[in-house]
Amino acid sequence: MTLSLERVFSLASAMADAPDQDEEEFLGQTLRFALELVPEAGAGTAGIVEGGRWHFVAAEGHDRDRLRRLPSMDEQFLPAQEGSVLIPAPLSHLRRAMTDASFELFQLATLPVYESLVVPLRTGGKTRGHLALDIVDLQKGPFSQESLRVMEALGHLAATFLGMKQLFAVQEGFQREIAMSMISMLEQYDSYTRGHSENVALLAQRLAERLGMGRDAVKNAYWAGLVHDIGKILVPIDVLNKNSSLTEEEYALVKTHPERGERVLSRSEELAGLGLVVGSHHERWDGTGYPAGRRGEEIPPLARVMALADAYDAMTSHRSYRRGMKKSVALEEIRRGAGTQFDPEMAWIFVEMMEGSPEGS
């Protein structure tokens, strides 16, 4: 039992990476744990339900590649109740779920099975997948009550993982919808923004990855890049789209957009965490930026990333009153600004990253 608990806790700790963990990989890992913990089993499978159809994604002991090639089956043939289910004649049960051709392929892909222990992976009242262990040696059966408890524990963890994956996908999709709605609105307002926000987002994401920032920081670099200029919605349109030099008063209005953007984002629970980044992306390493005059490491790291991405795209983008700089010229400007406008370490890493990229990227 001690070994069982250690393995369950080990699997639970792996769920910390649920947002980026592949479902098939996680279920395969869970299945391998289960086979180590349940002495009666000699083989097993795992599957996922998508769009009401159920298909195999992992197998141990059986031919995984053949099972994965089988056509999907109606999810009604998976047990619908919570907890583990013993199926004494699994072949006759599956026979009803498959066509003749599929069943023939299934038999070729699997060892003879005398009893199966199936755990439906259910979250939110719906079946998301399954874990199953099979007895392939009569001398080792039947499954003990201890094995049923271990499988139920593993099944609960796997179901929770699938539920978390779905929640993260919904939240991320919602976050993107909010961000893209904001950008769409800004693009109608400020002609320069068209394409600029996405360019900055992608550059910021690449630089965050190159700097070795964590998974969440890399994601936030992208999201912050998408909405970094959202405060411009509150700047008069004739000022934003002016084709000549701005007056001091007009420039002062434009310089309010980071603070305005931070305030806009702070009203959304989904995007509030990006507010400080957006509010600081025009600060300078030497403290002469705006709006707060932060200097050096007082400036949030992602805001320093954003400053580089924003400046580079601004320099290389064509405007109605000028052509964009060549890549080499823009990178020379970044070098010149290292230690004054930009974080010096980040600036050199950005230049190195861009010099290794094709022209225009």
Side-chain angles (χ1 to χ4, degrees):
M1 185 61 178
T2 301
L3 176 61
S4 299
L5 287 173
E6 287 175 355
R7 290 299 194 187
V8 170
F9 292 149
S10 175
L11 187 62
S13 67
M15 292 175 67
D17 293 325
D20 293 323
Q21 183 97 356
D22 181 77
E23 290 178 347
E24 297 183 11
E25 181 183 333
F26 187 87
L27 289 180
Q29 180 186 5
T30 307
L31 179 61
R32 289 189 291 275
F33 278 155
L35 283 166
E36 289 180 28
L37 301 174
V38 177
E40 301 91 345
T45 60
I48 289 176
V49 173
E50 295 176 305
R53 306 291 295 176
W54 155 52
H55 61 98
F56 293 102
V57 297
E60 297 291 329
H62 304 303
D63 188 328
R64 187 193 67 163
D65 292 336
R66 279 182 168 171
L67 286 173
R68 286 167 62 98
R69 289 197 295 268
L70 284 173
S72 61
M73 295 157 279
D74 194 302
E75 68 172 306
Q76 67 172 314
F77 290 100
L78 281 175
Q81 65 266 45
E82 303 283 349
S84 53
V85 180
L86 286 171
I87 302 179
L91 272 184
S92 62
H93 176 78
L94 285 170
R95 179 69 188 86
R96 294 181 288 117
M98 300 179 181
T99 64
D100 291 343
S102 293
F103 186 66
E104 187 175 332
L105 290 172
F106 177 80
Q107 287 183 298
L108 291 172
T110 55
L111 298 171
V113 175
Y114 300 102
E115 185 176 57
S116 292
L117 175 56
V118 180
V119 180
L121 307 180
R122 292 178 58 78
T123 61
K126 294 183 178 180
T127 302
R128 309 288 183 189
H130 87 278
L131 285 175
L133 294 184
D134 301 322
I135 293 176
V136 296
D137 181 349
L138 273 174
Q139 302 300 314
K140 294 189 174 182
F143 289 108
S144 67
Q145 288 300 309
E146 168 75 359
S147 293
L148 267 66
R149 284 194 293 271
V150 168
M151 272 295 281
E152 286 184 8
L154 290 174
H156 177 71
L157 287 175
T160 302
F161 169 81
L162 293 178
M164 289 170 64
K165 285 288 288 185
Q166 184 182 41
L167 178 62
F168 284 126
V170 169
Q171 287 179 332
E172 191 160 303
F174 181 55
Q175 187 177 33
R176 182 173 178 81
E177 279 187 30
I178 295 173
M180 295 312 292
S181 295
M182 287 181 169
I183 296 309
S184 177
M185 183 166 50
L186 180 56
E187 285 178 348
Q188 299 302 314
Y189 191 70
D190 175 18
S191 57
Y192 166 63
T193 303
R194 295 189 183 104
H196 172 66
S197 297
E198 183 74 20
N199 291 344
V200 172
L202 293 171
L203 284 171
Q205 181 182 46
R206 285 175 60 193
L207 180 55
E209 287 174 344
R210 181 65 70 97
L211 291 166
M213 292 183 167
R215 180 188 67 240
D216 290 344
V218 170
K219 284 185 177 181
N220 284 338
Y222 178 79
W223 294 120
L226 279 182
V227 297
H228 74 283
D229 276 341
I230 196 64
K232 288 182 177 179
I233 291 175
L234 302 175
V235 176
I237 191 169
D238 57 328
V239 174
L240 286 180
N241 291 322
K242 189 175 180 181
N243 289 331
S244 57
S245 298
L246 298 176
T247 66
E248 286 187 17
E249 292 79 8
E250 289 169 339
Y251 184 50
L253 279 173
V254 171
K255 287 170 65 176
T256 64
H257 80 269
E259 286 179 291
R260 292 172 184 264
E262 184 172 355
R263 285 201 296 272
V264 167
L265 294 171
S266 69
R267 295 170 187 165
S268 164
E269 187 176 343
E270 296 292 331
L271 300 174
L274 306 179
L276 186 58
V277 177
V278 169
S280 303
H281 77 278
H282 278 292
E283 301 288 0
R284 292 173 53 109
W285 186 256
D286 61 7
T288 61
Y290 60 88
R294 293 189 178 95
R295 66 169 59 241
E297 294 190 359
E298 294 173 359
I299 306 167
L302 282 182
R304 287 178 255 154
V305 166
M306 204 64 53
L308 283 157
D310 186 31
Y312 177 82
D313 191 68
M315 287 188 283
T316 55
S317 296
H318 299 309
R319 303 293 293 270
S320 59
Y321 53 88
R322 65 156 174 81
R323 289 190 60 77
M325 293 180 184
K326 289 185 177 179
K327 175 180 173 179
S328 59
V329 177
L331 291 180
E332 186 56 39
E333 288 295 318
I334 297 289
R335 287 191 190 92
R336 256 197 293 272
T340 53
Q341 183 174 355
F342 309 114
D343 178 320
E345 182 180 356
M346 286 187 184
W348 286 106
I349 291 172
F350 180 83
V351 169
E352 181 183 73
M353 177 183 83
M354 296 307 296
E355 285 181 335
S357 302
E359 187 70 32
S361 65

